[in-house]
């Protein structure tokens, strides 16, 4: 862990792409862990800006719009509203949720591009790209389909084959076809602005493999290492596209071109912070420019290269910004043994979950944390969901709290009884209890949320065991004072548990508060 | 928690989730998988090339269903009375699992008129009603998009 002390925290969750509803894989990947982290920090009185927003640019949105016969704006409006509602429903406590079609974001991203352009960070390069002669348009990645040269799948995209997972470039496809018209595309020259990542190799090696070798997660370091130490090194990446949906390229010769979605999306975190600050009367700059700010990006593993390689290169070139202190990326969550897939409807959709399990947001949050894909891909199964609910939340957590309250209600008119003399059991329990907050905090600060939650459950188990061994329902018949002591101590455990569980189970905590009114 | 302060009202924080609830969720996924499999299944391959002469020998007509009744001893067969424009005919059709007798009465359907009669369950079936079979095996009627005189030739 770093020795540094931080004055404020800027926490981001990956911008969800506005072309479909959210499912449990999204929640487990970067929204529940980030929210738990933000809630924990706020509970400790830290200064937190937790921001996110809808990612509304890119090719997939224009393809969806074309398929449904509506405008791209209509597509993003629909899913922005739906996603925002799901986040609210599941208690993801963003300080601000923005969108990349917002004017402030267009302005922020354009300024960034112009700044880098003026610093000569881009290489202007003309390349040949596929062009649909019938429609008169260049075909970005997913607008081209053809046979995969690796596995022979007939519907591989210009950037990837979904069958065998190979990443491709459009020229590799056999018999390429335009998805716009079905015609055979032709190669045509076009100019783009490339960020030459090779120039950043030493900086990135130093930043990641040097400074963060011990506080970043192994899965993240492993992926970065494979990029940084690859035989042919980092490649120049085009930061612009031939399209009309997105942020126009703001430099001479940029007509008809937009910024690459992965150039503008991470800048969306900055735009969202600006918007939040304007709405709440704060200054956004310290959250992005002061060295005593801790910047943490929560993402899924498919976004590691963009957050650990490309975004830091952009920030570094700009010069006025701090770099991410950590990027605790999760691996993937599978569903019943198979990869979650939106197009194949192999998913548990959040809005459907809530319709089927009203009021049970915390159960899902609990299961997704207890079984989080923190170090490797994990599997969500409904059987495991049921078992964790019945055997852990109901039988341990709920049972303990309920027993302590019911007995207090029955024997002491619902008031915390005065404790008598503590025996060895009480001394031991209270001593153990005292160690938990720090233990849980240390796990959370190292982004080990599964571990932290398992300690919370250990705490509840201790309370359960204490009641089972002291049997206040028996002592009440012979020893009122002893019973008072037992319930006094049990209620201290309940109080401690409700604080420790708060970042993980916010709805349960809120319900308890309401009841105690 | 200080002695003497009131505690919260007891109440269940979490409820047990029953088997049938999670089984329904698993079933939803299995249904999605089935729908995907059907979606991906290619259409039946093309039959061998035929000649125009062979096709011309098929006498395809639009006919109107006058009466329909379920065959007592059969799960699959409906007995239809149809107006062929050349007189009424009796046709046995294996569609009872897809349509009720009432659903068919009054409808115009496609029929192969000159198929050799065949005796089924003691009744002569004089022709065959043509239907489209979907990927999941359900049958759909073929109807002219507007009514035609019974016996209209299909070519």
């Amino acid at each position: 862990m770093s020795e540094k002390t931080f004055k404020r925290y800027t926490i981001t969750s990956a911008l969800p792409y506005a072309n479909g509803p959210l499912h449990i894989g999204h929640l487990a990947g970067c929204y529940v862990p980030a929210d738990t982290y933000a809630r924990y920090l706020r509970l400790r009185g830290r200064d937190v800006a937790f921001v996110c927003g809808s990612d509304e640019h890119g090719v997939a949105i224009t393809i969806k719009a074309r398929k449904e016969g509506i405008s791209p704006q209509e597509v993003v409006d629909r899913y922005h509203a739906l996603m925002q509602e799901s986040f609210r429903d599941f208690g993801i406590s963003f300080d601000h949720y923005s969108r990349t079609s917002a004017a402030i974001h267009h302005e922020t991203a354009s300024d960034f591009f112009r700044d880098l352009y003026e610093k000569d960070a881009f290489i202007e390069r003309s390349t040949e790209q596929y062009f649909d002669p019938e429609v008169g348009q260049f075909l970005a990645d997913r607008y081209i389909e053809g046979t995969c040269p690796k596995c022979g799948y007939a519907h591989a995209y210009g950037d990837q084959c979904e069958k065998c997972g190979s990443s491709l470039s459009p020229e590799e496809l056999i018999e390429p076809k335009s998805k716009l018209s079905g015609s055979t595309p032709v190669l045509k020259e076009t100019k783009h602005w490339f960020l030459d990542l090779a120039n950043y190799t030493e900086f990135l090696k130093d930043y990641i493999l040097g400074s963060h070798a011990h506080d970043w997660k192994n899965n993240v370091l492993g992926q970065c290492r494979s990029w940084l130490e690859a035989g042919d090194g980092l490649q120049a990446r085009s930061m612009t596209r031939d399209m009309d949906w997105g942020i126009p390229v703001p430099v001479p010769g940029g007509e008809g071109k937009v910024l690459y979605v992965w150039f503008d999306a991470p800048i969306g975190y900055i735009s969202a912070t600006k918007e939040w600050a304007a709405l709440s009367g704060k200054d956004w700059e310290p959250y992005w420019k002061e060295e005593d700010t801790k910047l943490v990006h929560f993402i899924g593993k498919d976004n590691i290269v963009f957050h650990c390689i490309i975004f830091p290169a952009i920030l570094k070139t700009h010069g006025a910004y701090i770099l991410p202190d950590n990027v605790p990326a999760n691996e993937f969550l599978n569903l019943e043994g198979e990869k979650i897939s939106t197009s194949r409807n192999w998913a548990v959709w959040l809005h459907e979950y809530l319709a089927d399990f009203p009021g049970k947001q915390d159960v899902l949050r609990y299961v997704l944390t207890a079984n989080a894909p923190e170090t490797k891909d994990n599997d969500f199964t409904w059987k495991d969901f049921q078992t964790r609910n019945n055997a852990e939340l109901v039988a341990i957590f709920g049972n303990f709290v309920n027993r302590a309250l019911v007995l207090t209600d029955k024997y002491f008119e619902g008031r915390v009884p005065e404790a008598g003399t503590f025996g060895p059991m009480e001394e031991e329990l209270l001593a153990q209890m005292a160690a938990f907050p720090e233990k849980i905090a240390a796990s959370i600060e190292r982004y080990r949320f599964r571990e932290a939650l398992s300690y919370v459950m250990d705490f509840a188990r201790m309370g359960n065991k204490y009641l089972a061994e002291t049997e206040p329902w028996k002592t009440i018949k012979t020893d009122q004072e002893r019973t008072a002591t037992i319930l006094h101590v049990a209620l201290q455990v309940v109080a401690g548990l409700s604080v420790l569980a708060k970042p993980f189970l916010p709805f349960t905590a809120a319900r308890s508060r309401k009841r105690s009114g | 928690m200080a002695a003497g302060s009131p505690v919260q009202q007891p109440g269940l924080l979490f409820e047990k989730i029953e088997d049938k609830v999670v089984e329904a969720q698993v079933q939803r996924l299995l249904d999605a998988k089935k729908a995907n499999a059907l979606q991906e299944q290619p259409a039946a391959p093309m039959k061998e090339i035929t000649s125009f002469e062979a096709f011309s020998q098929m006498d395809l007509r639009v006919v109107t269903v006058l009466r329909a009744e379920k065959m007592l001893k059969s799960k699959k067969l409906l007995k239809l009375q149809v107006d062929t424009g050349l007189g009424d005919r009796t046709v046995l059709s294996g569609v009872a699992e897809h349509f009720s007798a009432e659903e068919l009465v009054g409808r115009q359907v496609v029929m192969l008129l000159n198929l050799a009669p065949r005796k089924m369950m003691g009744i002569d079936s004089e022709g065959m009603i043509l239907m489209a079979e979907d990927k999941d095996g359900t049958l759909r009627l073929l109807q002219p998009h507007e009514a035609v005189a019974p016996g209209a030739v299909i070519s």
Side-chain angles (χ1 to χ4, degrees):
Chain A
M1 257 203 296
S2 99
E3 300 293 317
K4 246 170 120 176
T5 52
F6 293 99
K7 255 200 183 136
R8 65 192 78 70
Y9 293 75
T10 303
I11 303 165
T12 73
S13 285
L15 306 186
Y17 200 57
N19 72 337
L22 295 167
H23 55 62
I24 54 169
H26 294 115
L27 218 50
C30 59
Y31 302 107
V32 165
D35 182 64
T36 304
Y37 187 63
R39 285 176 183 273
Y40 154 80
L41 291 172
R42 290 191 197 112
L43 209 55
R44 299 205 81 172
R46 311 270 175 83
D47 181 1
V48 172
F50 179 24
V51 295
C52 189
S54 303
D55 181 3
E56 306 189 325
H57 297 138
V59 181
I61 282 163
T62 57
I63 290 183
K64 187 163 185 95
R66 188 175 277 267
K67 214 158 114 189
E68 295 186 11
I70 55 179
S71 72
Q73 191 61 49
E74 283 172 287
V75 171
V76 300
D77 284 348
R78 183 201 300 164
Y79 291 112
H80 172 72
L82 189 60
M83 295 194 300
Q84 195 167 21
E85 194 181 316
S86 283
F87 286 135
R88 208 177 294 136
D89 285 344
F90 280 85
I92 306 300
S93 60
F94 297 129
D95 291 298
H96 190 63
Y97 188 78
S98 185
R99 53 196 304 190
T100 60
S101 62
I104 192 164
H105 176 64
H106 276 237
E107 191 188 303
T108 308
S110 295
D111 285 351
F112 251 93
F113 191 88
R114 222 176 284 114
D115 184 89
L116 266 60
Y117 176 82
E118 280 158 14
K119 288 180 173 134
D120 271 332
F122 297 122
I123 315 170
E124 280 183 35
R125 198 184 277 172
S126 285
T127 56
E128 294 207 308
Q129 280 191 10
Y130 277 126
F131 181 84
D132 184 331
E134 242 174 75
V135 184
Q137 197 178 316
F138 278 100
L139 301 169
D141 322 307
R142 301 230 149 177
Y143 273 126
I144 309 169
E145 209 177 80
T147 301
C148 173
K150 311 252 161 74
C151 75
Y153 179 59
H155 301 287
Y157 296 127
D159 59 348
Q160 197 193 18
C161 172
E162 295 221 314
K163 188 84 179 257
C164 70
S166 306
S167 87
L168 303 170
S169 68
E171 309 79 63
E172 291 178 84
L173 292 176
I174 301 161
E175 291 183 34
K177 289 266 179 299
S178 162
K179 285 185 80 171
L180 297 181
S181 65
S183 65
T184 302
V186 296
L187 284 169
K188 194 176 162 181
E189 200 172 82
T190 178
K191 186 173 76 176
H192 283 289
W193 287 264
F194 288 72
L195 191 60
D196 194 359
L197 292 171
N199 292 339
Y200 298 87
T201 310
E202 284 318 306
F203 152 67
L204 289 167
K205 276 187 175 166
D206 189 46
Y207 160 57
I208 300 170
L209 307 178
S211 312
H212 289 294
H214 302 294
D215 63 336
W216 282 20
K217 291 170 64 175
N218 282 332
N219 59 327
V220 178
L221 287 170
Q223 235 192 75
C224 290
R225 207 168 279 131
S226 75
W227 287 93
L228 292 170
E229 293 172 355
D232 44 359
L234 292 171
Q235 306 293 311
R237 283 238 194 180
S238 169
M239 293 293 125
T240 52
R241 289 288 185 274
D242 286 297
M243 266 177 62
D244 54 7
W245 176 248
I247 299 172
V249 173
V251 298
E255 299 78 23
K257 298 171 199 289
V258 298
L259 303 186
Y260 174 41
V261 66
W262 274 113
F263 181 85
D264 87 74
I267 295 171
Y269 303 139
I270 301 171
S271 316
T273 312
K274 284 184 178 177
E275 209 169 52
W276 163 75
L279 290 169
S280 56
K282 298 197 183 222
D283 180 8
W284 70 272
E285 293 193 72
Y287 290 89
W288 280 95
K289 297 185 175 175
E290 296 290 343
E291 284 297 332
D292 54 5
T293 295
K294 185 168 186 160
L295 174 61
V296 183
H297 299 307
F298 286 86
I299 56 169
K301 69 171 165 188
D302 49 336
N303 289 348
I304 290 176
V305 63
F306 305 111
H307 287 77
C308 299
I309 306 283
I310 299 179
F311 192 43
I314 293 172
L315 293 173
K316 164 83 177 164
T317 311
H318 188 290
Y321 286 78
I322 53 169
L323 297 173
D325 183 75
N326 212 320
V327 185
N330 270 350
E331 300 287 292
F332 285 152
L333 184 72
N334 293 325
L335 171 59
E336 299 282 354
E338 286 177 40
K339 210 176 149 188
I340 292 178
S341 162
T342 297
S343 59
R344 299 173 59 82
N345 199 18
W346 190 260
V348 177
W349 304 103
L350 297 190
H351 58 288
E352 288 186 2
Y353 172 88
L354 212 54
D356 291 349
F357 298 94
K360 291 200 193 326
Q361 290 95 326
D362 275 352
V363 178
L364 188 59
R365 288 178 65 120
Y366 176 81
V367 174
L368 294 180
T369 303
N371 193 24
E374 278 178 12
T375 53
K376 59 173 180 57
D377 290 358
N378 256 352
D379 200 21
F380 176 95
T381 69
W382 282 106
K383 190 74 212 153
D384 178 64
F385 169 85
Q386 182 191 27
T387 307
R388 288 192 186 277
N389 179 76
N390 293 356
E392 296 174 16
L393 289 177
V394 175
I396 298 167
F397 195 116
N399 180 54
F400 164 62
V401 173
N402 196 49
R403 264 216 292 203
L405 297 181
V406 165
L407 294 177
T408 305
D409 216 35
K410 209 162 139 189
Y411 305 149
F412 300 101
E413 284 149 6
R415 284 179 185 279
V416 182
E418 200 85 49
T421 328
F422 289 160
M425 243 176 178
E426 285 74 33
E427 301 287 2
E428 199 197 317
L429 179 66
L430 294 171
Q432 281 185 353
M433 265 174 68
F436 269 81
E438 265 323 302
K439 212 162 104 174
I440 292 169
S443 295
I444 292 179
E445 303 239 9
R446 290 160 78 198
Y447 313 102
R448 296 182 177 182
F449 299 99
R450 296 172 68 132
E451 188 179 83
L453 184 57
S454 79
Y455 293 150
V456 173
M457 289 308 288
D458 286 347
F459 193 83
R461 259 184 213 102
M462 271 169 34
N464 232 2
K465 186 163 159 261
Y466 175 69
L467 281 185
E469 285 172 357
T470 53
E471 300 182 309
W473 49 90
K474 282 190 184 162
T475 59
I476 189 69
K477 291 171 197 152
T478 54
D479 190 344
Q480 169 94 9
E481 195 194 316
R482 174 70 188 142
T483 312
T485 305
I486 296 168
L487 285 174
H488 179 93
V489 170
L491 289 171
Q492 303 310 314
V493 183
V494 170
L497 183 61
S498 74
V499 174
L500 297 177
K502 223 170 174 180
F504 299 94
L505 306 170
F507 293 89
T508 307
R511 261 203 297 276
S512 307
R513 268 207 307 283
K514 230 181 265 167
R515 281 217 198 87
S516 65
Chain B
M1 269 193 196
S5 58
V7 299
Q8 66 203 55
Q9 288 292 306
L12 291 180
L13 289 179
F14 302 101
E15 301 164 342
K16 196 166 177 236
I17 292 172
E18 301 296 337
D19 288 346
K20 64 175 196 316
V21 174
V22 292
E23 280 158 13
Q25 294 295 330
V26 172
Q27 191 54 49
R28 176 186 284 178
L29 288 170
L30 294 176
D31 290 347
K33 186 176 267 186
K34 209 168 131 194
N36 283 333
L38 283 175
Q39 210 62 46
E40 281 164 18
Q41 191 183 305
M46 192 177 79
K47 293 178 186 171
E48 271 181 55
I49 296 291
T50 186
S51 64
F52 182 71
E53 286 70 29
F55 171 71
S56 307
Q57 285 175 7
M58 307 290 135
D59 195 344
L60 294 171
R61 305 289 182 114
V62 177
V63 302
T64 304
V65 180
L66 302 173
R67 280 186 298 281
E69 59 183 287
K70 192 129 178 15
M71 294 285 286
L72 274 179
K73 282 178 192 157
S74 167
K75 272 210 296 205
K76 290 188 177 165
L77 290 177
L78 284 182
K79 185 174 138 194
L80 308 178
Q81 203 69 29
V82 300
D83 179 355
T84 68
L86 301 168
D88 298 351
R89 284 205 194 175
T90 300
V91 180
L92 295 185
S93 185
V95 297
E97 288 173 328
H98 299 271
F99 301 98
S100 67
E102 298 75 47
E103 270 181 286
L104 295 182
V105 174
R107 294 215 192 240
Q108 293 204 307
V109 295
V110 173
M111 174 171 166
L112 179 57
L113 196 68
N114 60 345
L115 183 69
R118 209 178 126 200
K119 208 178 219 40
M120 285 187 271
M121 304 189 75
I123 295 172
D124 273 329
S125 177
E126 310 163 296
M128 183 164 86
I129 306 296
L130 305 185
M131 306 241 167
E133 186 177 347
D134 207 350
K135 281 182 176 174
D136 62 359
T138 54
L139 296 180
R140 303 276 181 231
L141 295 172
L142 302 174
Q143 291 179 281
H145 84 282
E146 278 179 38
V148 294
V153 173
I154 300 173
S155 59

